[in-house]
Amino acid sequence: QDAHMVKIHPEFAVKRASDGAVWKDDKGISWIDAGAEPMWEYLVKLAQESYALGFDEINFDYIRYPSDGNMKDIRFPFSEGKNKSFTLKQFYKYVDENMGDIPISADLFGMTTTNKDDLGIGQILEDALLYFDYVAPMVYPSHYPKNFNGYENPNTKPYEVIHFTMQGGINKIKEMNNGIASTSPISIKKLRPWLQDFSIFGVTYGAPEVKAQMKATYDVGLDS
């Protein structure tokens, strides 16, 4: 999601299928096609420069395809016909290969720890774990749908939601390791969740709710 870059390079943008104009989401924001490889090069150069200035880790956010807007009138000029998750996996690989020893992390939607699909936006937890030093699922309880895992209102279950979702991520790593040579297993410590410290949808979050999420994180064996 980069409206500024779209202004400079509209040829990289997600387009409307109907007339070829720049597509915008429900908020009026334009997007770069995730398959636009010139954008990959730009992002890596930006990341390398940021590291050179003194930042000790580079975190990649919004690594995804759009989901909110007129999805029936959308065209991806660089990745049309390609599998979304495959395109993102190729981007992860490109970042890993070009960032050298610079620590890199990726933010993903929280449901990547429990879903079997790519959520319609190309994000698969296992793909990111192969190429990033840390993966940060955004497991905010407020962002899970009604009756998720049987919770009528997940937003009121800070401990339970974090425990269930992060255990799901750990289980996925264990499944991955079953198919990987024992000399190179993926550590569960690669998982570093974003936790909720904001109040939304009528539920107030304060110290008890934040501590409950932290406890759930530690209880499943994570420490960050």
Side-chain angles (χ1 to χ4, degrees), residues 80-191:
E80 196 69 42
K82 295 180 181 179
N83 183 280
K84 292 179 180 179
S85 61
F86 174 80
T87 299
L88 290 191
K89 188 175 182 179
Q90 292 302 110
F91 171 69
Y92 304 157
K93 181 180 179 182
Y94 179 88
V95 170
D96 182 38
E97 290 176 345
N98 287 276
M99 292 293 285
D101 294 329
I102 298 174
I104 53 175
S105 59
D107 297 338
L108 299 183
F109 273 23
M111 293 190 78
T112 57
T113 68
T114 52
N115 270 48
K116 299 295 184 181
D117 60 6
D118 71 350
L119 308 177
I121 58 174
Q123 290 187 352
I124 293 179
L125 177 65
E126 292 92 328
D127 291 346
L129 286 166
L130 290 173
Y131 297 106
F132 289 93
D133 298 302
Y134 300 97
V135 177
M138 299 178 286
V139 285
Y140 311 130
S142 62
H143 283 46
Y144 284 85
K146 183 178 180 180
N147 294 322
F148 171 77
N149 198 41
Y151 311 134
E152 182 177 358
N153 183 358
N155 202 11
T156 64
K157 301 287 186 179
Y159 178 89
E160 291 85 349
V161 169
I162 302 304
H163 193 282
F164 176 75
T165 58
M166 295 316 300
Q167 185 62 58
I170 291 171
N171 292 343
K172 285 193 173 191
I173 289 178
K174 290 179 178 179
E175 290 178 11
M176 291 177 70
N177 286 339
N178 286 336
I180 296 177
S182 59
T183 55
S184 57
I186 295 172
S187 172
I188 66 169
K189 300 301 177 69
K190 274 195 172 191
L191 291 173

Side-chain angles (χ1 to χ4, degrees), residues 19-48:
D19 59 8
V22 172
W23 182 90
K24 295 184 179 180
D25 63 20
D26 286 338
K27 295 180 181 178
I29 299 173
S30 53
W31 290 64
I32 295 290
D33 184 344
E37 294 188 19
M39 185 69 172
W40 300 4
E41 182 180 358
Y42 160 74
L43 290 172
V44 165
K45 287 183 176 180
L46 189 64
Q48 291 170 337

